[in-house]
Amino acid sequence: MLLVLSAEHRAHLGCLPRAGGAAVGELGRMALEQLRRGAAPRACESAARKLNITVDIIQHGVEGLVYLLTESSKLMISEVDFQDSINVLGFSDELNKSLLQLYLDNRKEIRSILGELAPRLPSYHSLEWRLDVQLASRSLRQQIKPAVTMKLHLNQNEDQTAQVLQTDPATLLHLIQQLEQALGEMKMNHCRRIVRNMK
């Protein structure tokens, strides 16, 4: 699986040859620090002075490396696929080897950082439901108005919460059909590959 880079990301990574071979290691270190702790403008300014290049080149280089490393780590692309992905940038062999080594040395740590940043979503615990039917009202002597009331119990961070939902049977049937269609699509090879790469 190749990583497809947008024109903006190619432009940011295009700053790397201007920074020079020695600077790529420094920019890689800064990219990893940005992933761990967030952006640090002062670090960019001091690196620009130290490497004798503009702050813009440093910032764009770091942003390009952050994108390249995070997306490659998310997809867990192989060494060959990573090389093929950066070959389109037209960098020298030395720079390509430096980027590959940076990726191989840090992909596990980057995946763990991304895992910590992922939102903790609630999980299903149980469901209670009830069917109510209104047969008549003061204005209408004969009517049938069904409603399904559901109480959805969720687990979130070791706490249990409940959501009460109410709908009519036609909407509920449509929702079931949509969920069944989504489950059917999850069985397709393309979706299986995506899920496998997300783990």
Side-chain angles (χ1 to χ4, degrees), residues 98-168:
S98 298
L99 291 173
L100 175 64
Q101 198 57 49
L102 183 67
Y103 168 64
L104 293 176
D105 291 345
N106 298 291
R107 66 181 166 186
K108 287 183 182 173
E109 181 187 357
I110 293 168
R111 279 186 68 82
S112 72
I113 291 169
L114 294 175
E116 291 170 11
L117 296 175
R120 302 282 184 247
L121 299 174
S123 61
Y124 171 82
H125 180 265
S126 64
L127 176 74
E128 299 174 45
W129 63 275
R130 183 179 75 217
L131 177 65
D132 295 318
V133 180
Q134 183 177 347
L135 299 174
S137 66
R138 287 184 183 176
S139 58
L140 290 171
R141 294 280 181 215
Q142 289 186 343
Q143 68 172 357
I144 297 177
K145 189 176 174 186
V148 179
T149 305
M150 297 170 282
K151 189 172 187 180
L152 182 63
H153 297 274
L154 304 170
N155 291 330
Q156 186 169 20
N157 300 331
E158 300 178 10
D159 294 332
Q160 210 174 69
T161 59
Q163 299 289 328
V164 177
L165 310 165
Q166 189 172 38
T167 186
D168 61 287

Side-chain angles (χ1 to χ4, degrees), residues 5-23:
L5 299 167
S6 68
E8 180 185 4
H9 293 114
R10 285 182 187 205
H12 284 182
L13 288 167
C15 295
L16 295 178
R18 284 186 272 156

